[in-house]
Amino acid sequence: MFTPRAFVEHDLAWLDRLLARDPFVTLLTTGADGLPELTRLPVLYRRDGEHIELQGHWARANPQARHAGIAKVLVDGPHGYVSASWYPDKEAAARVPTWNYASAELRGHLQPFDDEDALATLVASLSDRFEASVGQHWRFEPERDDQRRQLRGIVGFRFRVEQAQVKLKLSQNHPDANREAVIAALERQPAPASRELAQWMRWHQSTG
């Protein structure tokens, strides 16, 4: 991922924040024809210092489920359009519009697995994690044959991260007056996504 120096973020707490916000990621591998294969899927995220692991599963019919080895994961964050008209120095500095965003690219190794007990643990953990996020309490019950049989239709994976690249493009390459003006303008927008982006800019500004 192309990342100018001004937008590089080394603090992995921002990766925690990105994956807490949106654990629905893009998993990229190389197909047999040399072209990228991708799957959009939810993951469980664990980090212990510099050690990062994601877990999830594919449908067994997905060609990517046969891939082991090098892969990438793309993590999405808030994003939005920034009008050049918002900058106080727009005329003096000949400013142009841009797009602000937060994102991450993770490189590492995929380890597929189809052990039934490991799959049952994974599916139970996924359901616990995401049921809680919507205030519900459905549970995977591995002791039920009708539920356990459905494990035959999936392949699990562990993704061990070897390199985490976090990119925060939040106007930090601009004077403070421009950043404050962009935040204020985004906060006035009706779209919730714009106001969320403004909040991330404020968070970043407070840690800078």
Side-chain angles (χ1 to χ4, degrees):
M1 178 169 61
F2 171 65
T3 307
R5 185 177 302 175
F7 307 136
V8 173
E9 179 55 60
H10 297 290
D11 185 351
L12 291 177
W14 287 95
L15 181 61
D16 300 342
R17 183 171 280 164
L18 281 165
L19 279 155
R21 173 192 178 273
D22 188 359
F24 193 67
V25 304
T26 303
L27 174 59
L28 290 165
T29 57
T30 302
D33 57 2
L35 296 174
E37 289 185 336
L38 64 89
T39 304
R40 295 279 288 164
L41 40 72
V43 292
L44 296 173
Y45 167 70
R46 296 184 180 88
R47 181 171 74 86
D48 181 9
E50 300 291 317
H51 301 285
I52 302 167
E53 182 179 279
L54 306 180
Q55 290 190 32
H57 65 78
W58 301 277
R60 188 172 291 274
N62 186 336
Q64 200 176 57
R66 295 186 289 275
H67 181 92
I70 296 173
K72 289 184 180 183
V73 167
L74 306 182
V75 184
D76 296 324
H79 62 92
Y81 179 74
V82 175
S83 171
S85 66
W86 296 341
Y87 300 128
D89 65 354
K90 56 184 174 294
E91 294 300 330
R95 299 294 186 186
V96 295
T98 192
W99 204 276
N100 276 6
Y101 58 93
S103 63
E105 177 187 297
L106 309 177
R107 302 184 186 193
H109 275 76
L110 276 174
Q111 298 175 333
F113 62 88
D114 58 6
D115 173 77
E116 192 174 88
D117 289 338
L119 287 174
T121 299
L122 171 63
V123 172
S125 297
L126 283 164
S127 62
D128 289 348
R129 161 72 172 85
F130 294 112
E131 285 288 312
S133 71
V134 296
Q136 297 299 308
H137 48 78
W138 181 90
R139 294 187 65 253
F140 176 73
E141 301 174 64
E143 67 276 7
R144 286 179 49 174
D145 288 342
D146 56 346
Q147 289 196 12
R148 198 169 184 94
R149 280 197 300 271
Q150 295 188 53
L151 298 176
R152 301 171 189 166
I154 63 173
V155 174
F157 66 81
R158 299 178 186 91
F159 179 69
R160 304 275 170 81
V161 176
E162 297 175 349
Q163 180 183 358
Q165 183 181 5
V166 179
K167 182 176 183 178
L168 302 179
K169 184 176 179 293
L170 300 174
S171 299
Q172 62 266 51
N173 58 329
H174 277 263
D176 288 344
N178 282 4
R179 295 184 71 184
E180 287 293 342
V182 170
I183 290 170
L186 288 169
E187 289 175 337
R188 292 193 297 270
Q189 302 306 304
S194 295
R195 296 194 294 274
E196 182 190 18
L197 179 59
Q199 180 63 65
W200 278 59
M201 290 181 66
R202 286 205 182 280
W203 285 336
H204 187 260
Q205 198 170 40
S206 70
T207 60

